[in-house]
Amino acid sequence: MRYPLSFAQAHALSLPEPLSHATWLDGPVDPVALQRAMDVVVARHSTLRTRVTASGEQVVSEAGGVVVEHVVLPDDVERAESVAAALVERPFDLARDPLLRAAVIEVGTDRFLFVLVAHRVVVDGSALVMLIADLSTVYREGLSALPRSWMDYGDYAVWQRERLDGEELVRRLEHWREVLRDAPAPVRLPAGHRAARVTAAVDPAAVRRLVDVAGGVGATLSTAFLAAYAVVLARYARRDDLVVEVPVSGRVRVELEPIAGPFADAVPVRVSLAGEPAFGDLLVRVRDATAHALSHDEVPLAKLAGELGVDLSAPRFTSGPPAAPALDLPGVTVRRHVVLTGTAEADLDLRADESGALTLEHRTDPGFAAWLLRSVVAVLEHAAADTAVAELPVPTPEGDWSAVTGPSSNGAVRTVTAAPESEADENPVPSRGRIEETMAGIWAELLRTTEPIGPHDNLFGRGSGSLTAVRFAARIADLYGVTLPMDRIFTSPTIAALAEVVSAELTPDPPDDSARDAALADLSDDELDDLLRAVVAARERRRATEGDLR
């Protein structure tokens, strides 16, 4: 069966890392029984039998399987974890391979490392938890323990596309048009690095104080964490208006709960720090902005960005600890989890739980990430209801980071400077070749790749998705003042074709002499003689005052 991609799937195509799960298990794990359980789970959830075509459709096979590799490495824990890491590093073939991998690695009697690696186009974090729970159920209770899902994920994708169209979409966009009117450009981050994480903890006494401060204005501790995050981002970006992503489940109907597949999304929360507010006042602003955003979560972020023509890529804030699922098998206990990949869907994702534990997952400069998290802790530990936001301490950066810097295609941070005035005056319109070179660099930057992008490469064949296209169009609009039509990006996805559009917009039209010629034709001979004498006199006066420059 063929279906369109859901908006979550289209976004997932642009995400660099797969989802992964790895746990050390102590006890009698039966690899054969685990394989049988996997067969049942794959039969139940059609998304696990899905591949993606080059034209952007998902194709679901009637039958298909995921092999649970059984690897035996006696007493070699280090090599077992290397094998698990290799499962993550191996690229998926979206057109052919099963987009889920599994392995059970045996290192000794009753000691196993269980590994799942999934492309984000078939599952999100919640779906991965569901799959592990289903595997456990079938392993414990037998092959008939799971009923078949009442709805295929592909049917949901069709329903979603039809639902977000026409008058229904127009109605849902009205709120966001107002909220995001004149929204600021995304905060620019030092980027180009692999996913990593850094952790910190807020002093317990400060956490207790923040609970009281937030409660005093009808907010939660999570709101205080988000407000502090906004303070640091605003200080870094030197602005008092910014957008932060807040994740949502994306399962907009309770009927969608038992369906495995990627639903997770985010809503843009616009935070204003204008007017020199106190921290308590900022909490009220963040509380209200978050509540309004969450109550209008029906339009996927990528769809919202495309319809409004704005770049909504932003730092993300996630409340609560990450899910830590594990197989629940008879006589088997979980020894520990192994982190193979990050879970962040943004270049900057701050996660905070009620204890004050903070985790920043990022794809930025490690020093910058450490500074930002340290700054958030400093703000939280000094914030009180009546503390002026402008007076909250943000440590001085140790590195040369600035919101006016951006990543180069090779991952190095470069400072964005204006061209000298003389150079700009000499050649105000960049050449076609220079436009192609710049566009290729921007696309490589968005994909975080160092591989060269040729002028005739299919951009969507390089792992891009619709959100990448939106971000690309926004960058081109900022740089050249030219709006690239989204349909042109999708129908002509090459640097050469898109550079032609920009070049045509930037090149001034040749002068139209027809109106002048018509006016001269209407003049009499005497009028033409008078005009000629006036022109000669004007030229003589110019020579007398400025010198003959011929």
Side-chain angles (χ1 to χ4, degrees), residues 290-310:
T290 304
H292 290 153
L294 294 176
S295 66
H296 293 82
D297 66 346
E298 306 95 339
V299 183
L301 192 65
K303 178 71 170 176
L304 189 61
E307 291 292 332
L308 300 184
V310 296

Side-chain angles (χ1 to χ4, degrees), residues 60 359 432:
V60 179
T359 300
R432 171 75 173 275

Side-chain angles (χ1 to χ4, degrees), residues 5-8 10-11 160-166 168-170 172-173 176-177 180 265-266 268 297-310 312 466-467 470 486 490:
L5 294 176
S6 72
F7 292 108
H11 171 56
Q160 184 194 44
R161 294 277 179 176
E162 292 177 347
R163 176 170 169 264
L164 294 175
D165 196 13
E168 176 73 6
L169 177 61
V170 172
R172 296 181 184 279
L173 287 175
W176 290 113
R177 288 190 191 281
L180 298 173
D265 200 20
D297 66 346
E298 306 95 339
V299 183
L301 192 65
K303 178 71 170 176
L304 189 61
E307 291 292 332
L308 300 184
V310 296
L312 294 178
S466 58
L467 190 58
V470 171
M486 293 304 296
F490 286 105

Side-chain angles (χ1 to χ4, degrees), residues 348-368:
L348 210 57
D349 188 350
L350 177 65
R351 182 181 291 272
D353 67 31
E354 295 296 309
S355 70
L358 305 178
T359 300
L360 183 66
E361 292 198 5
H362 66 93
R363 302 186 190 95
T364 68
D365 181 274
F368 169 80

Side-chain angles (χ1 to χ4, degrees), residues 138-168:
V138 177
Y139 185 99
R140 291 192 315 266
E141 302 176 21
L143 303 184
S144 61
L146 289 181
R148 187 174 181 84
S149 177
W150 72 276
M151 180 182 186
D152 285 340
Y153 184 84
D155 295 323
Y156 158 75
V158 173
W159 173 80
Q160 184 194 44
R161 294 277 179 176
E162 292 177 347
R163 176 170 169 264
L164 294 175
D165 196 13
E167 294 182 2
E168 176 73 6

